[in-house]
Amino acid sequence: MTSAARLRRCADVESFREAAHRRLPQIFFDYLDGGASAETTLRANCADFDRFQLRPCVLRDVSSCKLDAEFLGGHHDLPVMLGPIGSLGVFRADGEAASFRAAKCAGIPACLSSFTVTRPERLSATLGAGAAFQLYALKDRDRTEAVLDRVSGCGFGTLFVTVDTAVSGIRERDIRNGLRMLSQPSLRMVLDLLSHPSWLADIARAHPVRMALAEDWSEAGEGYLEQAAFLARQIDPAFDWQGLAWLRARWHGRLVVKGILTADDALRCVDQGVDGIVVSNHGGRQLDGVSSSITALGDIAAAVSGRTEILLDSGIRRGGDVAKALALGASACLLGRAYVYGLVAAGEAGIAAVLSSIRAELEVTLALLGLRSIRELRDAGPGIVRQISGPDC
Ligand code: FNR
């Protein structure tokens, strides 16, 4: 099936997910779709949005609804951005460039992962307003500084530092599938790869794939797999609040801490003078058993009380999810898997289609809530959502 035909059949993020499942080898689909350990938090991230019900106000003039929003110091066409996802170029050749182009076209920012396979320099021309780079602090401070200089030289003005990955979560699907053994594939893996010829042909175009941050480090090895494993080993498990203070002093642009789930940690971030935080559990890929981010948001927003900007990710699949997060205190949401499903299914056009479906849902949600703008939604606040209790997942 062509990308255009695939697009016509996709109405929402779930249909892109199904299309992505058909196109990707199972080993990569599981890497994208899966979470840590028993995947309790992964499931809760989406399910908990249903525990917040919306309270509409009728008989309001909603003949025009505006979705533009202020966040991260800029004015954007939607209160949404594309979050950092590693190895996009393995899910789809040129995946990072396609994502930045789609974001720019939609008038929203995107964030490039440290695990990019595209060199940041190649993206300079595609960077739209608010372009961000995501950093994992490395054991070697000089190397970390070199990364900061490199990405700031490429035009990334905002830095997201991810802090919920001191060690990697245990992803059981990847263990079962033998993801780490991909360089010496079993017969089952070979059959899995061969039975997805359109993905294989696409990725062959991108050959040789490299890990952009590590490819110039001689000890990192030659190929993508070796370099990715090397880069993962360089993430500093000792990076702490002092490290964050150092980063605050060293990075002169906007600094956002990604991976906050408690009010205490959010307040420490405020004390350190960061520009924003992302309430996130890494899409349920790190510590299993923590709360969904939408459940954590209310307490954090109350504690922070406007002293730093709050974004949210983990589980956003619909425009209605974005509306709930904004009412509960976020200024914008990051998409993760949602846009990658679109990318895998149909490239840049797939991301554009995911964004238009989220935009359409958000517009209808706003209008039926009786609200005419994102400003009115944020001003309405938690009063327009009601949390219902239910059995724990
Ligand atoms: C991620 N995420 C992530 N986060 C980050 O800070 N740096 C990274 O390199 C990655 N890489 C990555 C790869 C894959 C395959 C996934 C699914 C996720 C986490 C990501 O930025 C975001 O927090 C979650 O994806 C949000 O959850 P949902 O919306 O995908 O459920």
Side-chain angles (χ1 to χ4, degrees), residues 19-73:
H21 196 178
R22 287 190 293 276
R23 193 170 195 276
L24 274 184
Q26 189 65 35
I27 192 167
F28 289 117
F29 180 76
D30 277 340
Y31 172 67
L32 169 63
D33 206 52
S37 302
E39 301 190 339
T40 313
T41 297
L42 173 74
R43 287 190 296 280
N45 276 340
C46 290
D48 284 0
F49 276 101
D50 296 339
R51 293 191 179 183
F52 291 88
Q53 294 182 335
L54 294 165
R55 292 154 48 94
C57 278
V58 297
L59 293 172
R60 302 259 179 107
D61 175 2
V62 288
S63 45
S64 124
C65 255
K66 294 202 168 83
L67 299 183
D68 55 310
E70 304 282 335
F71 61 95
L72 294 180

Side-chain angles (χ1 to χ4, degrees), residues 333-352:
C333 294
L334 277 67
L335 299 185
R337 295 177 182 86
Y339 83 88
V340 187
Y341 297 141
L343 172 74
V344 172
E348 183 182 338
I351 302 178

Side-chain angles (χ1 to χ4, degrees), residues 84-86 113 134 136 162 258 282-283 285 313-315 317 337:
I85 301 281
S113 161
Q134 175 269 324
Y136 286 120
T162 300
K258 175 174 180 282
H282 215 100
R285 297 165 73 80
D313 77 14
S314 300
R317 300 292 181 271
R337 295 177 182 86

Side-chain angles (χ1 to χ4, degrees), residues 8-350:
R8 280 195 296 276
R9 286 170 173 233
C10 291
D12 60 5
V13 169
E14 180 54 28
S15 43
F16 280 102
R17 177 179 175 274
E18 286 161 14
H21 196 178
R22 287 190 293 276
R23 193 170 195 276
L24 274 184
Q26 189 65 35
I27 192 167
F28 289 117
F29 180 76
D30 277 340
Y31 172 67
L32 169 63
D33 206 52
S37 302
E39 301 190 339
T40 313
T41 297
L42 173 74
R43 287 190 296 280
N45 276 340
C46 290
D48 284 0
F49 276 101
D50 296 339
R51 293 191 179 183
F52 291 88
Q53 294 182 335
L54 294 165
R55 292 154 48 94
C57 278
V58 297
L59 293 172
R60 302 259 179 107
D61 175 2
V62 288
S63 45
S64 124
C65 255
K66 294 202 168 83
L67 299 183
D68 55 310
E70 304 282 335
F71 61 95
L72 294 180
H75 191 92
H76 306 288
D77 288 355
L78 266 184
V80 163
M81 69 181 283
L82 304 187
I85 301 281
S87 303
L88 282 177
V90 172
F91 293 118
R92 184 104 188 182
D94 238 8
E96 284 91 3
S99 305
F100 273 79
R101 280 196 305 267
K104 193 174 185 183
C105 236
I108 60 168
C111 181
L112 184 69
S113 161
S114 272
F115 279 74
T116 173
V117 302
T118 302
R119 292 178 76 87
E121 293 76 6
R122 258 200 61 212
L123 297 171
S124 284
T126 339
L127 300 186
F133 180 82
Q134 175 269 324
L135 178 83
Y136 286 120
L138 304 175
K139 290 174 186 163
D140 182 335
R141 278 279 159 92
D142 292 344
R143 256 188 189 151
T144 307
E145 293 202 70
V147 172
L148 297 179
D149 291 341
R150 182 175 175 187
V151 298
S152 123
C154 293
F156 293 88
T158 297
L159 189 76
F160 280 60
V161 57
T162 300
V163 295
D164 55 6
T165 48
V167 298
S168 179
I170 297 171
R171 313 213 178 116
E172 294 181 7
R173 296 197 213 186
D174 297 345
I175 296 170
R176 275 195 297 274
N177 291 335
L179 185 69
R180 288 211 174 147
M181 308 301 291
L182 204 55
S183 52
Q184 300 145 324
S186 64
L187 180 61
R188 195 167 64 98
M189 279 184 216
V190 172
L191 292 176
D192 182 22
L193 301 181
L194 291 178
S195 56
H196 294 86
S198 47
W199 172 81
L200 207 54
D202 176 57
I203 218 66
R205 279 200 299 125
H207 187 76
V209 178
R210 301 262 191 264
M211 206 83 259
L213 287 198
E215 67 181 321
D216 300 330
W217 304 339
S218 54
E219 338 78 279
E222 282 295 311
Y224 157 76
L225 290 171
E226 218 181 324
Q227 291 171 351
F230 182 84
L231 184 56
R233 287 196 301 276
Q234 304 317 303
I235 297 175
D236 187 3
F239 186 73
D240 58 7
W241 292 102
Q242 273 186 345
L244 184 62
W246 168 82
L247 189 61
R248 174 66 292 183
R250 179 64 178 72
W251 176 260
H252 304 301
R254 193 166 289 271
L255 180 65
V256 177
V257 178
K258 175 174 180 282
I260 296 297
L261 270 189
T262 66
D264 288 348
D265 280 349
L267 289 174
R268 285 196 81 166
C269 287
V270 171
D271 290 344
Q272 297 237 357
V274 304
D275 300 290
I277 57 173
V278 185
V279 175
S280 168
N281 54 39
H282 215 100
R285 297 165 73 80
Q286 284 297 108
L287 179 58
D288 193 32
V290 295
S291 85
S292 61
S293 12
I294 192 64
T295 306
L297 177 61
D299 285 352
I300 293 176
V304 163
S305 185
R307 283 173 292 166
T308 196
E309 185 163 8
I310 301 178
L311 294 99
L312 174 136
D313 77 14
S314 300
I316 301 282
R317 300 292 181 271
R318 290 194 174 273
D321 301 337
V322 176
K324 290 173 186 177
L326 266 56
L328 289 168
S331 60
C333 294
L334 277 67
L335 299 185
R337 295 177 182 86
Y339 83 88
V340 187
Y341 297 141
L343 172 74
V344 172
E348 183 182 338

